[in-house]
Amino acid sequence: MKTSFMYNLKQILIVFCASLATAVAVEVFLLPVNALIDGALGMASILDILLTGLSSAKWYLSAGLWLLVINIPIVIYCFFRFNRRFAVKTMLYLLFLGVELVLLRILDVAQLVKQVMSADGYTYDKVLYVIIGGALHGLSLPMLLSVNASAGGTDIVGLIVQRHSKKSSSSAMRFILLANTVVVLVSSAVYWIITKNATEAVNMFIYSLSAAFICEIVQESIFKGFSAAFELEVTTDKPDEMAEALKEGLKHGVTAVKVVGGYSHQEKTMILCVINKSQLVKARRIINKVDPQAFAYVENVKEVIGKGFANKEIELEEDK
């Protein structure tokens, strides 16, 4: 019971931290410069901008509440059709995010941060806001994936499309990217039509795409940290000793391949081993210790699926 409680508590804390990162990114940095991000959150943001003018007095029409309204049918469908733990954690993330956005608006935190950023006569930098906001939001998705949850909105719709179309996860990602781009484009057009301010509409589109790009860079960097690795290829005259030393020292399996030298025409053995990036220095020491005459080179491995390597991917499973 205690182990289960601590496990669930840890997952809830991760979901809370993910929601807080997004709430601060959106309310404090992106909305003040009219930048939108993500599909459902982008729709909630444009409604906030147009209906409240980002006024704390109209918190009841702010992005936090619109986000919950937009996601209600999606989460309900996911809850009854797919994995319920996934749906519950996603719903918990949305509740946390909605409440945090409303509280940040009521407390007018964005204005306080703007005053700090504009201290000593400096005007706040919109580009800096976009960079910080995009980077902060980029932290949330890897945290959610680590506990098998999602940010809702177009993320869930993309996964549902993937499930029903029987296509790969890359197809879902392309759908999500297309949907988010369409939301930003339409929102910018609506802003232009209503406010008659073409310059701000263009800036909204550019800032939004820039924030999404920065968000993607941060997410990709974190995902690479989860599953990227190096492949060692070691040609040696001491294959048994080398294989045993690498297995013992790095705690990874090895593969032995017979090769023939193109210069010497002698048969040798190549030892293949996939390791984490942090183990590269230790691997070099092992190779030099076992066989200083060994020939070795290292290749980048984009992703590893298997024991000993973290892999973060959401799969929606139907409840039986």
Side-chain angles (χ1 to χ4, degrees):
M1 288 291 293
K2 184 178 179 180
T3 302
S4 177
F5 172 77
M6 293 304 296
Y7 173 78
N8 290 329
L9 179 61
K10 180 182 177 182
Q11 294 213 322
I12 292 173
L13 287 174
I14 291 174
V15 171
F16 174 78
C17 291
S19 66
L20 185 60
T22 296
V24 173
V26 172
E27 180 64 30
V28 177
F29 294 103
L30 296 178
L31 282 179
V33 295
N34 284 358
L36 315 176
I37 200 161
D38 286 351
L41 194 52
M43 288 187 281
S45 297
I46 189 61
L47 289 171
D48 188 351
I49 292 170
L50 294 175
L51 297 177
T52 73
L54 306 183
S55 170
S56 58
K58 297 181 179 180
W59 59 268
Y60 49 86
L61 291 175
S62 62
L65 295 178
W66 286 115
L67 178 70
L68 295 176
V69 171
I70 293 170
N71 276 284
I72 285 174
I74 298 174
V75 174
I76 290 176
Y77 176 84
C78 188
F79 183 82
F80 287 104
R81 192 69 176 86
F82 297 103
N83 187 288
R84 292 187 178 180
R85 286 183 61 85
F86 167 80
V88 168
K89 283 181 282 191
T90 300
M91 184 168 58
L92 192 60
Y93 165 81
L94 293 170
L95 287 173
F96 281 151
L97 179 56
V99 172
E100 288 159 358
L101 287 170
V102 171
L103 287 177
L104 289 172
R105 176 63 57 82
I106 292 174
L107 297 174
D108 209 5
V109 176
Q111 186 61 32
L112 294 175
V113 172
K114 183 177 180 180
Q115 291 175 0
V116 173
M117 299 283 280
S118 305
D120 300 325
Y122 292 101
T123 56
Y124 78 102
D125 191 338
K126 290 187 177 181
V127 175
L128 182 60
Y129 266 49
V130 170
I131 293 173
I132 296 175
L136 272 176
H137 183 57
L139 297 175
S140 63
L141 183 59
M143 286 192 282
L144 290 173
L145 294 183
S146 71
V147 295
N148 192 32
S150 89
T154 52
D155 288 358
I156 293 181
V157 174
L159 292 169
I160 292 173
V161 170
Q162 174 195 347
R163 175 82 180 190
H164 288 287
S165 64
K166 307 297 184 182
K167 294 183 179 181
S168 65
S169 59
S170 60
S171 298
M173 295 304 295
R174 284 195 292 270
F175 173 84
I176 293 170
L177 178 62
L178 177 61
N180 291 342
T181 302
V182 169
V183 168
V184 171
L185 182 60
V186 172
S187 297
S188 300
V190 170
Y191 183 86
W192 173 35
I193 294 170
I194 294 177
T195 65
K196 309 299 182 182
N197 191 330
T199 301
E200 280 299 318
V202 171
N203 286 339
M204 175 182 286
F205 182 73
I206 293 174
Y207 286 151
S208 299
L209 290 186
S210 300
F213 181 70
I214 293 166
C215 176
E216 184 67 25
I217 291 175
V218 172
Q219 290 175 358
E220 184 68 19
S221 299
I222 295 174
F223 287 138
K224 284 182 178 179
F226 280 138
S227 58
F230 286 127
E231 179 190 22
L232 282 176
E233 299 191 6
V234 186
T235 304
T236 175
D237 293 323
K238 301 178 180 179
D240 295 335
E241 296 93 327
M242 185 66 71
E244 189 61 33
L246 289 172
K247 286 191 295 182
E248 182 67 25
L250 303 177
K251 307 301 180 184
H252 287 295
V254 300
T255 301
V257 180
K258 294 295 183 181
V259 295
V260 177
Y263 178 76
S264 64
H265 301 291
Q266 295 180 353
E267 186 176 273
K268 295 187 178 183
T269 301
M270 177 183 289
I271 304 298
L272 307 180
C273 183
V274 178
I275 63 174
N276 295 308
K277 290 185 176 183
S278 60
Q279 296 178 307
L280 183 57
V281 174
K282 188 174 184 179
R284 287 172 176 163
R285 292 173 181 168
I286 293 173
I287 294 171
N288 289 329
K289 182 178 180 181
V290 174
D291 184 7
Q293 303 303 316
F295 177 78
Y297 61 92
V298 179
E299 289 192 75
N300 285 312
V301 177
K302 185 177 180 180
E303 184 174 3
V304 183
I305 301 174
K307 185 178 180 180
F309 296 88
N311 299 283
K312 309 296 179 183
E313 183 172 344
I314 284 182
E315 292 183 358
L316 289 177
E317 299 178 356
E318 291 192 26
D319 285 335
K320 303 298 184 182

